[in-house]
Amino acid sequence: MTNEWGGWQAVLGSDAFLAIYHNPLLWVPIGLVRIANTLLFNWTGRLAPAVILPMVSNAVVLS
């Protein structure tokens, strides 16, 4: 995972921006899902699994 913004710096930066809009108690679980999502996208090279993972995570939290 490399790009102009430094790969993992981009992941952590986007996690920080997302975390601002959530309860601080959710920062770690959301960060873990987003990191897993990034790895999933890199491993598969497809967007569909990266879209499904947060949907499943949200469904588990809501149920």
Side-chain angles (χ1 to χ4, degrees):
M1 176 178 193
T2 58
N3 64 17
E4 293 177 17
W5 215 59
W8 284 108
Q9 291 175 345
V11 173
L12 296 176
S14 67
D15 283 349
F17 284 120
L18 180 70
I20 291 170
Y21 297 105
H22 288 83
N23 182 333
L25 294 174
L26 299 175
W27 289 357
V28 171
I30 289 172
L32 292 175
V33 168
R34 289 189 45 92
I35 289 171
N37 202 26
T38 301
L39 293 172
L40 183 63
F41 177 73
N42 282 338
W43 288 335
T44 64
R46 303 190 69 209
L47 189 56
V51 171
I52 293 169
L53 177 64
M55 291 172 60
V56 170
S57 173
N58 288 339
V60 168
V61 169
L62 290 175
S63 50

